[in-house]
Amino acid sequence: MTRILPPLFALALLAAQASAQPADLIVTNARIYTADDTRPLVEAFAVRGGRVVFTGSAREAATLKGPNTQTLDGQGRTIIPGMVDAHGHFNGLAKKLRSVDLVGTKSYDEVIARVVERAKSTPKGTWIVGRGWDQNAWGNTTFPTHDALSAATPEHPVLLERIDGHAQLANNNAMRIAGLTAATKEPSGGKIVRDDKGVPTGVLVDNAESIVSSKVPDPSIDEWRAMHKDAVKVMHRWGLVGMHDAGASRAMIDLYEDMAQKKELNLRLYVMIGDNAAALTHYFGMGPRSALYDGQLWVRAVKLYADGAMGSRGAALLEPYSDDPNNNGLLLSAPGHIQEVAEAGLKAGFQINTHAIGDRGNRVVLDAYQKALDKVPAANHRFRVEHAQILHQDDIPRFAQLGVIPSMQASHQTSDMYWIGKRLGPTRLYGAYAWQSLLQTGVIIPNGSDFPVEEVNPLISFHASIARQDARDWPTGGWLPAERMSRQDALRSMTLWAAYAGFQEKDMGSITPGKYADFVLLDQDIMRVPVELVLKTEVLATYLGGRRVYGR
């Protein structure tokens, strides 16, 4: 006679049998921050089949050691969950690694010098592209004109992207190839900067960028593959095991899937589909897809744009810029379009994530989301506003009320704080990078870098979150310090909260039994060292599914 075990007893027996099996890896002798509120700090954990099977004491973990179990001695160092950049640009980073690096240039002359150096090794007539210039760091914050660049590069078409990706500078050869003249009309949501005679100066803002950028030859698929592999290595070096790719074409998503199938991706990649009608029809028809190819790829979100950026004065404001009184910024998409895509996303089960930086841009998105949710009510939609940098006080509570996640990048605050007051004036600053004000309403804030706009290193955003200071510890006490995050929230923002913002919290985001064994070994305890030492922390190793993908 077969004995039927009570269901709860049977489950307990299966769990006991599973825990008795030897682990593949035991990690011990470390201060382990799990980002799991049920066991926030442990001294050991065990891994089997790429997932965590135990967290707790070293004594308990030792019971899972078998003849083939590997051990990792943390040597008293610190371990945190693998970090996730909740808003970056995979293609942008891949391209930047092979472009002229203009980050940190202190003058237009320095920008030109770097381009001229690249021109020496570039065949005549071949495009030269670069990224990272920022006129706000040059003393004179007005946009440059192409004249000096054109004179220095007479034999190459040149296109240089501003650090935020929302403005570009083209030389004369590039404008000639694109047919850009005084007669060229501005596209909706874009601006062609012109001189007093109406002649283009070479600077193109937001939707006008494509006038020239569309003429730059694309890399081949094999080149893209190699470039993306290089980008993943950079992410691993800084402790990132995953990222949310903020806007990808169908061709790129096809490449990501091919790389994942061939086990070449080596990343937890959460993809936001770019705003293209044909692509959205295709993916909405397929439905949301999650944790494909052993947790390498998620395709279940859409990326829209509401406005531009603060640095190029393209962010849409309710009132004019304080330093440009005839300018309220640019709306890149019609509010009706955002609502339409949001309604379609709700029906198809897709998350909608919209770039909005200015207070008007944010209000437009929240209004569109609210109208969409009124028509297609849904729980757990997890719609997001990407950046949410400048908010009107009336709109701060609306995120929690609508169930919308503000996806923010702390490093933007420390990059912008030197000049943002001139753009906004004193009153609007109190809605700028308002992390604590948002947290107090009950929302979470997934953190990112917006790379390649900012550096890949996620500890820059961790430091900015807890200090609101730059790498030189300026300003003393922090910039609007009441909006700082606690260290616990800052850690969650780049681990568990980032996972939740991508519907990944059951698989990743914390060192918890059942989740992927993604973790990072650090040489310092970022949760306890003085704030000024956080940015001196080194990543010693990065593990993905219990497998080391980077070691110093």
Side-chain angles (χ1 to χ4, degrees):
M1 179 176 177
T2 303
R3 183 181 177 188
I4 306 290
L5 293 175
L8 290 177
F9 181 80
L11 288 173
L13 181 61
L14 288 172
Q17 291 172 343
S19 65
Q21 298 173 18
D24 300 326
L25 173 69
I26 292 175
V27 181
T28 189
N29 190 21
R31 189 171 178 86
I32 302 165
Y33 294 93
T34 66
D36 181 342
D37 287 342
T38 61
R39 293 296 300 271
L41 184 66
V42 298
E43 63 179 9
F45 63 93
V47 178
R48 187 189 308 118
R51 293 182 181 261
V52 177
V53 293
F54 169 80
T55 61
S57 70
R59 180 186 179 92
E60 293 171 288
T63 66
L64 298 175
K65 187 174 182 180
N68 298 316
T69 301
Q70 295 183 327
T71 58
L72 173 62
D73 183 347
Q75 300 181 342
R77 304 289 196 178
T78 294
I79 288 177
I80 62 173
M83 292 179 282
V84 174
D85 193 306
H87 182 108
H89 299 277
F90 200 4
N91 282 358
L93 178 60
K95 287 195 293 185
K96 182 185 176 184
L97 295 176
R98 300 195 181 187
S99 301
V100 182
D101 185 4
L102 304 175
V103 174
T105 48
K106 300 300 182 185
S107 68
Y108 188 24
D109 287 341
E110 187 177 352
V111 168
I112 293 171
R114 293 191 188 186
V115 175
V116 168
E117 186 62 30
R118 174 63 65 91
K120 294 177 181 177
S121 58
T122 303
K124 295 178 181 179
T126 303
W127 282 83
I128 296 174
V129 295
R131 178 162 183 160
W133 62 269
D134 182 3
Q135 83 283 3
N136 292 314
W138 298 347
N140 179 1
T141 61
T142 57
F143 278 135
T145 64
H146 75 88
D147 304 277
L149 177 64
S150 296
T153 56
E155 297 174 327
H156 298 84
V158 178
L159 185 62
L160 308 178
E161 197 162 16
R162 193 181 181 279
I163 192 166
D164 59 10
H166 286 265
Q168 293 175 339
L169 172 64
N171 75 348
N172 188 61
N173 282 334
M175 289 190 287
R176 178 179 51 78
I177 291 171
L180 176 58
T181 69
T184 303
K185 294 182 179 180
E186 288 183 345
S188 175
K191 182 177 182 180
I192 300 171
V193 179
R194 306 172 190 266
D195 63 19
D196 294 340
K197 297 180 180 179
V199 177
T201 65
V203 173
L204 305 164
V205 180
D206 287 317
N207 286 352
E209 291 179 301
S210 62
I211 294 172
V212 176
S213 64
S214 62
K215 304 301 179 182
V216 181
D218 284 329
S220 68
I221 288 297
D222 287 341
E223 288 172 329
W224 272 125
R225 187 186 304 271
M227 291 159 64
H228 283 102
K229 287 181 179 179
D230 289 343
V232 171
K233 290 177 182 177
V234 172
M235 288 186 242
H236 289 164
R237 181 260 175 273
W238 292 110
L240 289 171
V241 299
M243 68 164 294
H244 298 187
D245 188 18
S249 68
R250 182 174 171 182
M252 284 299 101
I253 298 172
D254 286 346
L255 173 61
Y256 300 159
E257 188 159 358
D258 184 64
M259 293 177 69
Q261 285 179 317
K262 295 175 179 175
K263 301 186 185 300
E264 296 175 345
L265 195 53
N266 253 349
L267 196 68
R268 313 281 184 213
L269 181 61
Y270 187 80
V271 178
M272 305 178 205
I273 306 157
D275 186 7
N276 174 275
L280 295 184
T281 298
H282 172 76
Y283 289 109
F284 285 0
M286 296 180 71
R289 295 187 296 159
S290 298
L292 303 175
Y293 314 109
D294 194 25
Q296 290 185 83
L297 186 65
W298 284 253
V299 186
R300 53 157 306 126
V302 176
K303 170 68 181 303
L304 304 178
Y305 280 88
D307 65 352
M310 291 301 302
S312 51
R313 295 185 183 86
L317 299 181
L318 294 168
E319 301 293 335
Y321 281 84
S322 296
D323 59 353
D324 190 0
N326 295 316
N327 181 15
N328 283 67
L330 297 167
L331 285 178
L332 306 189
S333 299
H337 174 69
I338 297 172
Q339 180 185 341
E340 179 184 1
V341 176
E343 290 177 18
L346 287 166
K347 293 174 183 177
F350 277 71
Q351 181 189 55
I352 306 300
N353 306 334
T354 307
H355 165 117
I357 289 181
D359 51 11
R360 180 164 60 115
N362 277 277
R363 181 167 291 178
V364 162
V365 176
L366 292 172
D367 287 348
Y369 284 175
Q370 183 169 340
K371 291 175 181 177
L373 288 164
D374 286 343
K375 287 191 174 183
V376 189
N380 202 35
H381 53 82
R382 304 191 197 182
F383 279 11
R384 290 162 46 168
V385 172
E386 303 300 313
H387 309 304
Q389 285 182 16
I390 314 300
L391 301 174
H392 191 282
Q393 292 294 322
D394 293 346
D395 290 322
I396 288 175
R398 297 181 67 196
F399 286 84
Q401 292 164 0
L402 294 171
V404 174
I405 298 170
S407 171
M408 304 178 76
Q409 300 76 45
S411 54
H412 281 336
Q413 178 265 309
T414 48
S415 291
D416 297 355
M417 63 183 176
Y418 309 107
W419 47 264
I420 195 70
K422 295 179 181 178
R423 295 280 198 276
L424 296 176
T427 303
R428 286 183 288 192
L429 284 182
Y430 290 98
Y433 318 95
W435 310 323
Q436 196 55 234
S437 294
L438 284 162
L439 290 172
Q440 290 300 315
T441 69
V443 300
I444 62 168
I445 299 177
N447 213 331
S449 68
D450 202 13
F451 63 64
V453 176
E454 303 282 357
E455 297 299 319
V456 176
N457 180 5
L459 293 183
I460 295 174
S461 280
F462 181 88
H463 175 263
S465 297
I466 66 174
R468 291 176 75 96
Q469 293 175 309
D470 63 17
R472 298 167 295 171
D473 305 311
W474 185 91
T476 302
W479 188 84
L480 298 180
E483 295 293 348
R484 289 181 297 207
M485 292 187 195
S486 68
R487 295 198 196 211
Q488 290 74 21
D489 283 348
L491 180 63
R492 293 185 189 103
S493 75
M494 52 188 54
T495 55
L496 189 58
W497 289 352
Y500 181 86
F503 295 87
Q504 301 167 311
E505 73 276 10
K506 292 182 180 179
D507 285 315
M508 54 190 290
S510 63
I511 301 174
T512 300
K515 295 188 180 185
Y516 293 120
D518 302 340
F519 60 95
V520 179
L521 179 64
L522 303 174
D523 71 342
Q524 291 194 105
D525 187 347
I526 60 172
M527 306 300 285
R528 296 195 298 175
V529 297
V531 169
E532 58 269 21
L533 295 181
V534 167
L535 289 179
K536 295 181 172 61
T537 303
E538 291 285 339
V539 172
L540 300 178
T542 303
Y543 284 76
L544 186 74
R547 177 173 54 88
R548 192 172 78 168
V549 292
Y550 167 77
R552 192 175 71 170

